[in-house]
Amino acid sequence: MDFRKQFFVGPGEKLKLAGIDPAHTGGHASSEEALPEIQKNVARMAELQALLYADGNQSLLVVLQALDAAGKDGVVRHLFSGMNPQGTRVYGFKQPSAEEAAHDFLWRAHQRTPARGEVAVFNRSHYEDVLVVRVHQLVPKAVWSKRYALINDFEKMLAENGTRILKFFLHISPEEQLLRFKQRLDDPARNWKISEGDYSEREFWSDYVGAYEEAMSKTSSKDAPWYVIPANHKWFRNLAISQIIVDTMEDMGLKLPPTRVDLQEIAVKYHAAEAAQEQRAGKTPKPPGKK
Ligand code: AMP
Ligand code: MG
């Protein structure tokens, strides 16, 4: 199944999240069945990241957005753990600092976009400025409503500069969210994740749904696609996202750069160095080429 086709939000489409089952599991029966595929994807993601780094001409930006407890942190932990930290950056966007708030809303996002060869993961993103900001009327409608077009221009500019952009909305049900809040309450290792806001934000669920629907339909495009990922089942979420990342990176035409030196010349130098090394160690050097 091509998850990219299945979960893509059509540009300008009248998106209705209520029509998408958050508990969808595709053709898979269980987590056990999906695990080998997830592991294979995670391993391939790591190889492709190394290739992206070596290639050095393009970059990848992954945006994760969702309501609380939908699994943004889990995606980072499970799927990006295999990538080399030298070349992969994860950034969590919180409430803007005073300095950030004193600039335009894209300023802080732009500073974190991936350089050529890099992968950047945004845990929340510039989209908060048309989501939480809209739901809580932190700026007037006249301001946030102009931001969709500004975001599209910003992302188009990144794409033209060689950045592949993938945007994932982790879609969970309110029941699943409450279940996860209960786990946070019951498990001392997860208590720290609880915030007062978790419960008050639940009351704005339908406002958030409306804000997400409009944001995704207005900012999804071939170059910067949004995908709505059914995320009640963590394993299905991990499978779908990892598969979409692998399929996208496979299409980027990444290749190892040409060798910068004359390999024959270097081989001669190598043999000379080897001979000198062995002489220092008191051995008779072999003539070059002899095994
Ligand atoms: P968490 O992701 O759980 O660490 O929470 C980060 C918090 O920062 C969330 O409540 C977000 O809604 C909030 N946040 C992120 N970006 C913005 C923004 N631009 N304006 C207001 N709040 C934001
Ligand atoms: Mg939170």
Side-chain angles (χ1 to χ4, degrees):
M1 174 50 83
D2 186 349
F3 290 135
R4 284 190 294 182
K5 281 215 179 88
Q6 193 178 2
F7 300 131
F8 177 59
V9 176
E13 149 189 347
K14 264 246 143 305
L15 176 64
K16 279 285 156 219
L17 287 175
I20 301 172
D21 180 9
H24 178 83
T25 57
H28 293 81
S30 67
S31 138
E32 287 71 33
E33 203 185 290
L35 196 62
E37 275 183 64
I38 297 170
Q39 284 168 340
K40 193 168 132 241
N41 287 344
V42 168
R44 185 65 188 142
M45 277 169 63
E47 289 170 3
L48 287 161
Q49 182 260 329
L51 191 56
L52 179 83
Y53 188 83
D55 178 294
N57 287 302
Q58 300 180 68
S59 61
L60 178 72
L61 172 61
V62 176
V63 170
L64 302 174
Q65 281 288 161
L67 296 176
D68 288 312
K72 298 186 295 298
D73 297 337
V75 167
V76 172
R77 206 169 53 245
H78 289 288
L79 303 186
F80 292 91
S81 52
M83 288 190 175
N84 186 342
Q86 180 163 308
T88 312
R89 282 187 286 143
V90 181
Y91 190 75
F93 288 85
K94 310 289 178 193
Q95 280 191 11
S97 67
E99 192 190 17
E100 288 169 349
H103 287 83
D104 70 85
F105 79 103
L106 291 169
W107 182 76
R108 65 175 183 162
H110 204 171
Q111 290 180 69
R112 318 284 180 192
T113 54
R116 289 192 190 92
E118 287 182 352
V119 175
V121 182
F122 284 4
N123 185 338
R124 301 188 191 267
S125 65
H126 45 294
Y127 283 93
E128 291 292 322
D129 291 276
V130 289
L131 297 166
V132 64
V133 165
R134 165 180 172 168
V135 168
H136 292 290
Q137 299 166 31
L138 302 180
V139 300
K141 179 170 184 182
V143 174
W144 62 252
S145 61
K146 291 203 188 97
R147 289 181 172 170
Y148 305 110
L150 297 170
I151 289 174
N152 285 337
D153 287 347
F154 171 60
E155 293 181 356
K156 190 159 189 290
M157 187 264 292
L158 297 178
E160 287 192 6
N161 197 46
T163 302
R164 273 299 179 113
I165 306 171
L166 294 174
K167 301 178 289 193
F168 297 103
F169 171 67
L170 316 185
H171 180 42
I172 57 164
S173 62
E175 295 77 18
E176 178 64 22
Q177 187 194 51
L178 201 58
L179 203 74
R180 294 185 189 181
F181 283 176
K182 176 93 168 63
Q183 289 163 355
R184 290 183 178 181
L185 201 58
D186 292 345
D187 178 358
R190 296 189 205 190
N191 286 171
W192 70 274
K193 280 206 152 199
I194 303 172
S195 83
E196 289 280 352
D198 291 351
Y199 291 87
S200 51
E201 288 304 276
R202 263 177 79 78
E203 290 169 32
F204 296 94
W205 192 282
S206 66
D207 294 343
Y208 272 111
V209 167
Y212 267 106
E213 286 169 344
E214 185 171 354
M216 288 194 278
S217 87
K218 286 195 165 158
T219 62
S220 192
S221 65
K222 216 181 106 273
D223 283 337
W226 270 109
Y227 299 100
V228 175
I229 304 296
N232 271 12
H233 297 284
K234 295 173 181 174
W235 60 267
F236 183 75
R237 170 201 80 198
N238 290 343
L239 176 67
I241 294 179
S242 62
Q243 188 64 52
I244 289 172
I245 293 174
V246 167
D247 290 346
T248 302
M249 293 185 83
E250 298 281 14
D251 281 353
M252 287 171 76
L254 302 170
K255 41 190 185 323
L256 292 172
T259 320
R260 280 173 288 193
V261 295
D262 180 333
L263 285 180
Q264 271 182 335
E265 238 173 69
I266 289 293
V268 170
K269 287 187 187 171
Y270 170 78
H271 287 303
E274 190 189 38
Q277 170 76 40
E278 286 181 358
Q279 209 156 34
R280 272 199 300 276
K283 288 189 215 154
T284 340
K286 316 173 258 196
K290 280 253 169 82
K291 293 256 148 87

